[in-house]
Amino acid sequence: MKYDFDTIVNRRHTDSLKWDVLDNELPMWVADMDFRAPEPVLNKLHNIVNLANFGYKDIPDAYFEAFANFWARRHNYRMNKNDMIFSTGVVPAISSIVRKITTPGEKVLVMEPCYNIFFNSIVNNGRFILSSDLVYENNNYHIDFTDLEAKMSDPQVSLMILCNPQNPTGNVWTREELDKIGKLAYKYNVVVLSDEIHCDIVEKGTKYCPYQSVSEINAQNSITCISASKCFSLAGLQGACVVVPNPNLRHKVWRGINTDEVGEANSFVCETFISALTECDDYLDQLNDYIKENKDYARNILKGIKGVSLVDNKSLYLIWIDVSKVTNNSEKLCAHIRKETGLFITPGNAYGNNSNTFVRINLATSLSNVKDGLDRFINGIRTYKEN
């Protein structure tokens, strides 16, 4: 069927995390789409509600089969459903894994800029952040493998959290890059936790490579977190899948998730995720086309704005903008833009110490909102310069 991404769901005054803003404000910050969920998923939800009972739920084998078949169909790699564990979300799983795989006082390796909630999962559990910073060069990012090896060789590092594709930069890591990471992690006994929640929003002609698909070394020394939440407007249903091919490592992860009580499904999540992963490929294809149009618009409009540079990326519905010629304090800039224009976006410093001259904007909304938001952004940049 043909899906309508121009008409968005009005979530103002609904206790929406994203849309709990003033009436004149336009939120384009958190990675939450404004589109309707696919019709097959909505139909499934209506059927569940019509049962009029929301008791405890088992997690059906079909849940894991749906993930395995989806990855085989969409990404040419079949994950083993017997390697899969249910979790109430990727972030709860990450925090549980940090607690189970590392000990207090150890270091967890990341590559900044990176998803800011990784920091919470590390610090809130009494571990320390160690970053092998990505290198920003020629409007793009790359890994400094010499530095990465030096950081991995630290005996206090036992876990690395990888984002594949990378949030917020939009890097889609190549098989060769993932292979290098895997070999270094194996050499220094570092488990790799790969967050692949954004893997389905990738431009045509660019291939996302599942981390564990690269080699047996990668598979046996890694934990992969995936979900249907980001790309089907289902984040609030609280579900994810944790894939661990190594049986000994999988037992530890399973114990951690169950000890932390984040392994039980609510009444809605399993059937709706199954529907999304088995019936909604057309929705995902059309969504990617729409996001590409929004990104192309942003690229065209921003390339004419002095002092602003859109970082190259081929994934995510998020854009990462270099504002270093405007300010060295993106938090101050974003506060000014929100106050003066009502546009709510995220300052780069949230994603690491090397990102205070960047901002992140979410384009998973109608093209009309994208146009409005970028007009506000440009006006905010102009008035900031004037001030």
Side-chain angles (χ1 to χ4, degrees):
M1 65 176 295
K2 174 67 175 175
Y3 286 94
D4 174 15
F5 296 101
D6 288 318
T7 302
I8 65 169
V9 179
N10 183 0
R11 290 185 288 162
R12 291 187 187 273
H13 310 297
T14 64
D15 296 319
S16 161
L17 173 67
K18 180 178 183 180
W19 284 90
D20 187 16
V21 295
L22 299 176
D23 287 343
N24 68 318
E25 291 187 320
L26 177 61
M28 298 178 74
W29 62 292
V30 67
D32 179 353
M33 300 200 304
D34 291 331
F35 311 121
R36 283 172 60 90
E39 293 304 321
V41 173
L42 298 177
N43 292 336
K44 187 65 67 175
L45 280 167
H46 287 306
N47 291 340
I48 296 170
V49 169
N50 288 337
L51 287 174
N53 184 286
F54 310 104
Y56 297 120
K57 297 287 287 187
D58 281 330
I59 299 159
D61 198 50
Y63 180 82
F64 302 118
E65 289 178 351
F67 276 100
N69 291 335
F70 182 86
W71 254 253
R73 187 173 70 251
R74 301 286 302 192
H75 305 303
N76 199 33
Y77 175 66
R78 178 167 290 279
M79 296 175 173
N80 188 334
K81 66 184 179 68
N82 296 322
D83 296 342
M84 297 178 176
I85 305 166
F86 176 87
S87 172
T88 55
V90 167
V91 169
I94 290 173
S95 292
S96 180
I97 290 161
V98 167
R99 285 189 289 272
K100 193 66 179 178
I101 302 302
T102 70
T103 60
E106 286 190 333
K107 301 172 184 176
V108 178
L109 182 61
V110 297
M111 296 191 296
E112 296 179 13
C114 67
Y115 178 44
N116 55 309
I117 305 302
F118 291 168
F119 304 143
N120 296 351
S121 295
I122 297 167
V123 174
N124 290 347
N125 288 301
R127 281 68 170 171
F128 295 97
I129 299 164
L130 180 65
S131 177
S132 177
D133 290 355
L134 297 175
V135 179
Y136 181 59
E137 204 169 45
N138 299 322
N139 211 40
N140 214 328
Y141 284 87
H142 67 266
I143 300 169
D144 180 344
F145 279 100
T146 300
D147 183 71
L148 184 65
E149 180 167 13
K151 300 291 171 58
M152 275 199 186
S153 68
D154 185 334
Q156 282 293 100
V157 173
S158 53
L159 179 70
M160 175 182 181
I161 304 180
L162 174 72
C163 203
N164 175 38
Q166 216 274 349
N167 176 13
T169 68
N171 280 58
V172 183
W173 303 121
T174 65
R175 180 173 292 272
E176 291 73 23
E177 289 168 323
L178 297 176
D179 183 57
K180 287 182 181 180
I181 293 171
K183 288 174 178 174
L184 289 174
Y186 178 78
K187 179 179 179 180
Y188 294 108
N189 298 306
V190 176
V191 174
V192 175
L193 195 173
S194 187
D195 174 0
E196 308 197 357
I197 197 170
H198 289 282
C199 68
D200 295 304
I201 309 296
V202 177
E203 292 184 11
K204 290 177 181 176
T206 300
K207 290 293 184 181
Y208 141 78
C209 179
Y211 178 85
Q212 66 175 245
S213 73
V214 172
S215 68
E216 193 63 13
I217 285 176
N218 281 36
Q220 293 300 316
N221 190 42
S222 70
I223 303 159
T224 298
C225 294
I226 54 180
S227 181
S229 61
K230 288 293 183 188
C231 56
F232 293 107
S233 292
L234 303 176
L237 293 182
Q238 306 298 316
C241 184
V242 184
V243 191
V244 197
N246 184 309
N248 293 325
L249 186 57
R250 183 168 66 254
H251 179 76
K252 289 183 179 180
V253 173
W254 175 79
R255 284 302 317 143
I257 285 174
N258 282 275
T259 298
D260 294 336
E261 301 293 355
V262 293
E264 296 181 358
N266 62 46
S267 296
F268 300 95
V269 65
C270 288
E271 290 188 52
T272 52
F273 274 35
I274 291 168
S275 175
L277 295 169
T278 59
E279 302 179 88
C280 301
D281 281 33
D282 56 345
Y283 178 95
L284 188 53
D285 291 338
Q286 292 172 44
L287 171 68
N288 269 298
D289 289 342
Y290 196 87
I291 295 299
K292 175 66 163 54
E293 291 176 7
N294 284 354
K295 278 189 172 181
D296 286 344
Y297 178 84
R299 290 184 183 111
N300 289 331
I301 199 75
L302 292 177
K303 69 183 179 182
I305 307 305
K306 188 175 181 181
V308 170
S309 178
L310 185 61
V311 176
D312 292 335
N313 75 63
K314 299 295 182 182
S315 69
L316 314 182
Y317 44 69
L318 310 163
I319 54 174
W320 187 239
I321 302 174
D322 180 354
V323 292
S324 59
K325 294 181 180 178
V326 177
T327 185
N328 61 3
N329 189 332
S330 61
E331 189 169 15
K332 185 177 178 181
L333 173 63
C334 288
H336 169 86
I337 290 173
R338 186 173 185 181
K339 179 181 178 182
E340 295 297 320
T341 75
L343 176 66
F344 182 10
I345 58 177
T346 313
N349 67 301
Y351 305 98
N353 294 322
N354 60 342
S355 306
N356 207 23
T357 57
F358 294 83
V359 300
R360 195 189 78 168
I361 300 180
N362 179 359
L363 299 184
T365 189
S366 66
L367 180 57
S368 61
N369 272 352
V370 169
K371 291 178 177 179
D372 181 14
L374 291 176
D375 284 345
R376 297 185 193 216
F377 178 70
I378 292 166
N379 287 333
I381 293 289
R382 177 182 55 79
T383 57
Y384 186 86
K385 288 179 178 178
E386 290 173 354
N387 292 341

